[in-house]
Amino acid sequence: MLSKTQSKYIRSLTHQKFRNEHKVFIAEGTKIAEEWLRSDARIQKIVATQLWVDGSLHLIALHPEAELHIADEAELLTVSSLSTPNQVLLVVYKKDVPELKEMEEWCLALDNIQDPGNMGTIIRIADWFGINHIVCGEGCVDVYNPKVVQSSMGGHLRVNLYETDLEAFLSNSKIPVIAATLDGQNIYTTAKPTAGILVIGNESKGVSAKVLAQATHKVMIPRLGGAESLNAGVSAGIICALLLQP
Amino acid sequence: MLSKTQSKYIRSLTHQKFRNEHKVFIAEGTKIAEEWLRSDARIQKIVATQLWVDGSLHLIALHPEAELHIADEAELLTVSSLSTPNQVLLVVYKKDVPELKEMEEWCLALDNIQDPGNMGTIIRIADWFGINHIVCGEGCVDVYNPKVVQSSMGGHLRVNLYETDLEAFLSNSKIPVIAATLDGQNIYTTAKPTAGILVIGNESKGVSAKVLAQATHKVMIPRLGGAESLNAGVSAGIICALLLQP
């Protein structure tokens, strides 16, 4: 059973303000929870059904620092950000972000990515392609939004996520700054650098003018059909697959 | 003002059963609505704010067959499948799907794609790459689910969407059947056929055994980092970009 105070606290964490204040975030679902519990993340609370607890004692044992609350599915649903019933919800302490240094390896820079699903998908793409750093400009959705945590599938554990003034950061780059734009150079025939910062822009407006002004290269995926554009996450995936081609 | 009966009817269309019964579906949002109104689709109802109507008389004039209902944002929200306020909602008649013939050009086959966002994203990818046909096996989310229509960004207008027994369909194919699997051949070094059926599997389980048995080729995107898998939509996009490379 969760107390009223506990329920209220957990529900408050759907808001960025309270995640920032308490330096924690929510990770939900059996698969995601398992990834976080197997990591060295510091866990504040585990809220789970008796069924999940019975099958997960080995995972719970890894985190003696965590408070354990047994709840039924109905109760979990009242504190969940997901629309489907769930077995387990974690409250996880944010880890300290390392200092943002000058990049020497491939990284992503996100300019005003607003959809949590896209943000999570892009973190998952970086994680798949071994890109260790994502730099988010102001205006991006909070990377600790529950839907971002959900859709990155544990990517948060392996990819460093920074928030900074993108214009200033890019202006200091010594490696190529490659922006994805609809009027860029054909990605298939572009020379592939050994390192670079790939800039992905807003879902409907693309890369903003002031960020674009810092790009040393512009690339686009040639369109063969009738669609006006590709989804931001899909574009990021395709460009990574083509630029980081082994 | 929408009557109670009208509101109830529109809300019922969030369920596949009623979409099938009435042979209609919902398309929402200014951008999506504009795409549908500019097409030759037959529109049953336009439900919109006075503001949208005032600025869209040229679009409304294209569809004398449609009933027009003026509603305020609060009223629109009660019949909407979206969580954000909206200006316009259309009820659109489904068009007849052409007969599914043997494929001679690139097409996609979807095995148990369940997430509406993924389904819409994949239709949008096909639309971008000029792939004219998507064949959905049983178990896929309804392609007329409001979130699918939302995320395909008008792709429904240009891509033919079929529902069939995938196993039987693939077993008759005269062009290569290429399944995306984690144990497939490296996509970068795979020979690229001039036509084929690309099979994308379920978000967590991948391509099912009986569908996989019909594949003539298996491909995978090499992993360079720590993620367990890529999102189904992103995988589809990357494989299309690599196989249909101009």
Side-chain angles (χ1 to χ4, degrees), chain B residues 100-119:
Chain B
L100 178 58
K101 294 192 185 141
E102 202 184 291
M103 290 290 161
E104 297 181 345
E105 55 181 304
W106 275 109
C107 80
L108 302 183
L110 306 183
D111 181 21
N112 211 0
I113 289 288
Q114 294 191 328
D115 179 79
N118 281 338
M119 177 61 86

Side-chain angles (χ1 to χ4, degrees), chain A residues 200-239:
Chain A
I200 302 291
N202 174 263
E203 287 85 351
S204 58
K205 287 174 259 164
V207 180
S208 62
K210 64 180 192 173
V211 170
L212 200 57
Q214 305 303 327
T216 57
H217 299 71
K218 295 197 279 182
V219 296
M220 64 95 183
I221 303 159
R223 173 170 69 168
L224 305 171
E228 206 181 280
S229 63
L230 279 167
N231 164 286
V234 172
S235 300
I238 293 175
I239 297 175

Side-chain angles (χ1 to χ4, degrees), chain A residues 22 25 36 42 47 57 59 64 83 96 110 127 138 163 202 204 226 230 239:
Chain A
H22 299 289
F25 64 95
W36 284 96
R42 215 153 57 89
V47 185
L57 295 172
L59 296 172
S83 48
D96 294 330
L110 307 182
D127 190 19
E138 287 153 27
E163 194 189 321
N202 174 263
S204 58
L230 279 167
I239 297 175

Side-chain angles (χ1 to χ4, degrees), chain A residues 98-112:
Chain A
E99 196 195 337
L100 178 56
K101 294 193 186 141
E102 202 183 291
M103 290 290 162
E104 296 180 346
E105 55 180 306
W106 275 110
C107 80
L108 302 182
L110 307 182
D111 181 22
N112 210 1

